[in-house]
């Protein structure tokens, strides 16, 4: 049999892309969400219930809960990212049956797709949240294989000694498996039994930071995320406000998880002016009518809610370089070096070390 005959008998390569990847990329939901919807029979392709692994192209009609998903080829390559400083009392879901405020309430509405939150914070945790319209970017940033470290400023109430720190860094057994901090640094602030630390985890498990400390018999009285991978929460982003990342910042973030750059969508003059107005408003401190609920100071600690979490990062000596690039640096660091025209920041390498 000739080589040509053998080639003719080989099956043709599958066409199209996997359904969950397509829907994630256009912002319908994360891959994990879409896979769950497929298993529940909520998604149909050309009128037939979808199955896991099904491939689709632009000619296929996709419905979710009976609603047709509008697909435009250009829109499927849209990648926008916003940073949000989450206040206490907001939940990381789109709709809450109890009517509580959500992290999506203050975000601008994207013209194409919808915002996908990259990870979650529980209702009592404040700090950095990232949102994107690119489901593939969200999936990679959350996947454990890409080892995106998360840094938290945490105030611990109780006696903490060197043996406890060593145990937390070596690993302890929680109810859902072993867990550990890749690094812990003591930070200035607090008094009596209240002490501030900066700690790093490589996973995004539910309440992982709180449960790690509580496994040692101490209580977490305040918790704030200050870094996700190469992205830092700056002191110039007030609580309850958001900021859209620039092209250069997004490209750095995407390169961390092996994705090629995607150009931001072009805006006409009217849309650009509107976005700039929203951006200026989002960087102003909250007014009287916009106050957000903050954690009540612990007994004997009268310091403001946000001040202790920021001071350690400015006063602690700089440690080893972080894994990835400093996408958003603190204002004090930005003043020490000339700004680049596109907003890019110099890259550094390292793994799992808190920034000082």
């Amino acid at each position: 049999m000739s080589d040509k005959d053998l080639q003719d008998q080989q099956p043709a390569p599958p066409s199209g892309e996997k359904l969950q990847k397509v829907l994630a990329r256009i912002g319908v939901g994360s891959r994990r969400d879409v896979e769950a919807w497929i298993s529940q029979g909520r998604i149909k392709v050309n009128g037939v219930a979808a199955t896991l692994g099904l491939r689709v192209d632009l000619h296929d009609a996709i419905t979710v809960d009976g609603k047709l998903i509008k697909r435009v080829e250009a829109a499927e390559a849209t990648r926008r990212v916003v940073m949000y400083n989450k206040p206490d009392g907001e939940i990381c879901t789109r709709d809450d049956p109890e009517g509580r405020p959500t992290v999506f309430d203050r975000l601008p509405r994207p013209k194409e797709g919808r915002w996908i939150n990259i990870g979650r914070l529980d209702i009592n945790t404040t700090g950095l949240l990232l949102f994107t319209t690119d489901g593939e970017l969200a999936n990679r940033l959350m996947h454990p294989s890409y080892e995106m470290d998360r840094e938290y400023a945490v105030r611990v109430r109780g006696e903490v000694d060197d043996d406890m720190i060593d145990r937390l860094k070596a690993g302890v057994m929680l109810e859902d498996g072993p867990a550990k901090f890749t690094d812990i640094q003591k930070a200035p602030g607090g008094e009596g039994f209240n002490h501030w630390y900066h700690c790093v985890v490589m996973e995004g498990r539910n309440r992982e930071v709180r449960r790690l400390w509580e496994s040692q018999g101490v209580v977490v009285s305040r918790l704030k995320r200050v870094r996700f991978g190469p992205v830092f929460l700056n002191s110039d982003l007030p609580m309850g406000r958001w900021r859209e990342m620039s092209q250069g910042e997004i490209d750095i973030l995407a390169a961390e998880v092996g994705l090629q750059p995607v150009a931001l969508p072009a805006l006409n003059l009217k849309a650009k002016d509107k976005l700039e107005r929203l951006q200026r408003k989002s960087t102003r401190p909250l007014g009287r009518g916009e106050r957000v609920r903050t954690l009540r100071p612990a007994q004997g600690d009268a310091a403001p809610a946000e001040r202790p979490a920021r001071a350690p990062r400015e006063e602690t000596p700089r440690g080893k370089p972080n894994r990835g690039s400093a996408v958003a640096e603190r204002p004090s660091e930005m003043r020490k070096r000339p700004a680049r025209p596109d907003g890019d920041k110099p890259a550094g390498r390292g793994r799992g070390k808190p920034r000082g």
Side-chain angles (χ1 to χ4, degrees):
M1 186 178 293
S2 66
D3 293 341
K4 185 178 183 303
D5 292 334
L6 289 173
Q7 292 175 1
D8 292 339
Q9 292 183 3
Q10 291 178 353
S15 60
E17 286 186 284
K18 288 187 177 180
L19 176 61
Q20 58 265 37
K21 185 175 181 179
V22 171
L23 293 182
R25 187 174 63 251
I26 63 178
V28 174
S30 67
R31 285 198 199 182
R32 189 176 301 175
D33 292 335
V34 175
E35 289 171 356
W37 298 342
I38 292 174
S39 300
Q40 296 163 9
R42 296 171 55 186
I43 301 180
K44 292 184 178 181
V45 177
N46 301 324
V48 180
T51 56
L52 289 173
L54 179 66
R55 292 177 177 268
V56 297
D57 56 32
L58 278 172
H59 301 290
D60 292 312
I62 305 172
T63 59
V64 179
D65 295 332
K67 183 179 179 181
L68 181 66
I69 302 299
K70 296 181 180 180
R71 298 172 60 198
V72 180
E73 190 171 7
E76 297 196 13
T78 300
R79 179 184 295 160
R80 296 173 61 189
V81 182
V82 295
M83 302 168 55
Y84 179 61
N85 189 351
K86 176 190 174 298
D88 174 51
E90 291 184 355
I91 58 175
C92 293
T93 186
R94 294 183 185 276
D95 301 298
D96 179 49
E98 301 177 25
R100 293 172 295 182
T102 79
V103 294
F104 294 92
D105 293 342
R106 300 179 189 269
L107 299 183
R109 181 173 298 178
K111 185 178 180 180
E112 304 290 349
R114 66 174 184 170
W115 296 119
I116 302 171
N117 46 314
I118 301 172
R120 297 171 180 267
L121 296 176
D122 66 50
I123 190 170
N124 295 320
T125 302
T126 65
L128 178 63
L129 268 178
L130 297 178
F131 298 84
T132 181
T133 56
D134 185 347
E136 181 62 22
L137 176 63
N139 181 71
R140 294 195 183 195
L141 288 171
M142 290 185 287
H143 200 280
S145 63
Y146 288 96
E147 297 184 334
M148 283 290 109
D149 43 358
R150 291 93 160 154
E151 183 178 343
Y152 292 82
V154 53
R155 191 180 71 174
V156 177
R157 184 183 303 156
E159 194 67 41
V160 178
D161 55 26
D162 292 340
D163 290 339
M164 182 187 298
I165 298 294
D166 291 340
R167 287 194 297 271
L168 289 171
K169 292 169 68 175
V172 299
M173 182 61 68
L174 303 179
E175 57 267 27
D176 55 351
K180 67 177 181 178
F181 292 123
T182 57
D183 199 72
I184 305 173
Q185 297 290 337
K186 184 78 161 47
E191 58 184 29
F193 281 116
N194 294 300
H195 303 282
W196 282 95
Y197 293 87
H198 275 240
C199 49
V200 177
V201 292
M202 302 296 289
E203 299 176 289
R205 288 153 63 179
N206 185 38
R207 302 183 75 252
E208 183 178 12
V209 175
R210 293 182 186 273
R211 290 187 293 137
L212 274 167
W213 284 104
E214 289 169 358
S215 71
Q216 304 302 303
V218 295
V219 177
V220 172
S221 56
R222 296 243 181 94
L223 184 61
K224 180 176 183 176
R225 184 154 70 192
V226 295
R227 178 170 64 88
F228 189 103
V231 183
F232 290 80
L233 180 64
N234 291 342
S235 57
D236 58 355
L237 184 63
M239 183 176 288
R241 298 302 196 186
W242 58 270
R243 177 177 78 79
E244 182 152 8
M245 295 173 65
S246 69
Q247 180 73 68
E249 292 173 331
I250 296 174
D251 291 347
I252 291 174
L253 183 61
E256 285 287 310
V257 290
L259 291 176
Q260 296 298 316
V262 173
L264 285 170
L267 299 177
N268 58 35
L269 185 59
K270 183 178 179 180
K272 187 175 181 180
D273 289 343
K274 181 180 179 181
L275 182 61
E276 289 178 352
R277 288 197 304 272
L278 290 172
Q279 188 70 73
R280 287 194 298 270
K281 181 180 178 181
S282 71
T283 57
R284 293 201 304 265
L286 295 177
R288 288 185 178 180
E290 296 181 287
R291 285 189 178 276
V292 294
R293 186 170 63 90
T294 56
L295 290 173
R296 182 178 301 171
Q299 187 174 5
D301 187 351
E306 288 305 300
R307 189 174 180 181
R310 292 199 299 264
R313 298 186 61 79
E314 296 175 347
E315 298 176 11
T316 305
R318 183 183 297 273
K320 294 182 179 180
N322 282 285
R323 177 182 186 275
S325 310
V327 170
E329 294 182 301
R330 299 189 59 82
S332 59
E333 295 173 327
M334 294 172 67
R335 286 194 296 268
K336 295 177 183 177
R337 64 192 73 182
R340 299 191 179 186
D342 59 356
D344 288 1
K345 304 299 183 291
R349 302 300 298 174
R351 192 177 296 270
K353 292 290 185 180
R355 281 291 288 260

